[in-house]
Amino acid sequence: MKRSLIAYVATLLTFLLLDGIWLGLLMAPTYRELLGSLMLEKPLLLPAAVFYCLYVLGCVVFVVLPALSWQWAMKRGALLGLVAYGTYDLTNWATLRGWSVQVTLMDWVWGMVATAVACAVGYLVARRFGRR
């Protein structure tokens, strides 16, 4: 239980930090330009919090805890990001006016990278501090 909790917290904090930098600092103007009227002035915090908690739960259960090494966690994290972000981005591209291939590819790659790194860090921290 202790290892699972440490893995969850480490993965969550890493993913939040990475996504915060990506969305808040690096890509905010680009997303605003490319998505324009699709974006809210301020994001809704409750659905965002539920997404992060649920997504990281999937990362921990399906990648971090069963990982055999940090490289395994990184590769499987990238695969999870490919599937999850691909599902989101391709569905949006297929159904939303104004959602472009550029946004799809950019966000999809980001999801793979962020998930891979968060899973690898979660694995390493849980391995280091989650021993009994």
Side-chain angles (χ1 to χ4, degrees):
M1 181 67 168
K2 178 183 173 187
R3 184 173 182 264
S4 297
L5 183 59
I6 289 170
Y8 186 85
V9 171
T11 306
L12 179 64
L13 291 177
T14 303
F15 196 81
L16 285 172
L17 176 66
L18 292 171
D19 221 31
I21 292 169
W22 176 258
L23 293 172
L25 298 176
L26 300 176
M27 296 306 294
T30 303
Y31 280 128
R32 178 102 21 229
E33 178 186 326
L34 294 174
L35 297 175
S37 64
L38 291 175
M39 291 183 68
L40 297 173
E41 285 300 315
K42 290 186 87 169
L44 301 175
L45 295 182
L46 181 60
V50 171
F51 161 74
Y52 285 112
C53 291
L54 188 60
Y55 189 67
V56 168
L57 178 64
C59 289
V60 171
V61 169
F62 298 122
V63 178
V64 176
L65 292 178
L68 304 172
S69 67
W70 70 266
Q71 296 94 332
W72 192 98
M74 185 165 267
K75 289 175 189 173
R76 293 292 172 101
L79 179 60
L80 180 61
L82 175 78
V83 172
Y85 276 73
T87 301
Y88 170 78
D89 287 307
L90 292 170
T91 300
N92 284 345
W93 187 24
T95 61
L96 296 178
R97 194 176 295 116
W99 193 274
S100 67
V101 67
Q102 183 180 1
V103 172
T104 298
L105 294 175
M106 210 170 37
D107 193 60
W108 199 355
V109 170
W110 171 247
M112 290 172 57
V113 169
T115 305
V117 171
C119 287
V121 170
Y123 169 82
L124 289 168
V125 171
R127 184 167 179 238
R128 172 72 174 96
F129 297 104
R131 296 186 182 177
R132 294 177 193 241

